[in-house]
Amino acid sequence: MKKLTDILKEAGIEMGKVYTDKDKPPFKITEKKKDDKIQIRGMGTWDYKSLTSNLARKIKDLDKRNKKGDHTGIGKNQLGVLVAMWEALSEYEENQ
């Protein structure tokens, strides 16, 4: 069984030493650029922020309709647009 001090030594951390962000920077989070362009098949190009907000709005609308029991007014074309947007966003995020 390993001791905590052994694990810290393996990680290069000395006991009693104070570390700052300059010594050991925090883990990096790559943020999506809000102005990155995403190509959606059959719909053109959208920027990341607009696409995510539009997709969220469409999903919220579907959720509200479902809770009301209103399943009219939405056809294959509208769902196809939703799928195309979702796939484009998914592909973009996988490549980041």
Side-chain angles (χ1 to χ4, degrees), residues 19-30:
Y19 291 96
T20 64
D21 285 348
K22 290 181 181 179
D23 300 328
K24 293 205 176 270
F27 61 92
K28 183 179 179 183
I29 298 175
T30 55

Side-chain angles (χ1 to χ4, degrees), residues 51-84:
L51 179 58
T52 54
S53 65
N54 193 303
L55 192 57
R57 193 170 47 251
K58 288 181 185 316
I59 292 170
K60 284 179 188 175
D61 180 56
L62 286 175
D63 186 43
K64 284 180 188 176
R65 287 176 178 225
N66 185 48
K67 287 178 181 175
K68 289 180 182 178
D70 179 15
H71 298 97
T72 61
I74 298 173
K76 289 182 182 180
N77 289 340
Q78 289 83 3
L79 292 176
V81 167
L82 185 70
V83 169

Side-chain angles (χ1 to χ4, degrees), residues 6 10 16 22 25 31 33-34 40 46 60 72-73 77:
D6 295 335
E10 288 175 10
K22 290 181 181 179
E31 293 186 25
K33 294 181 181 176
K34 293 178 183 174
I40 303 173
W46 291 54
K60 284 179 188 175
T72 61
N77 289 340

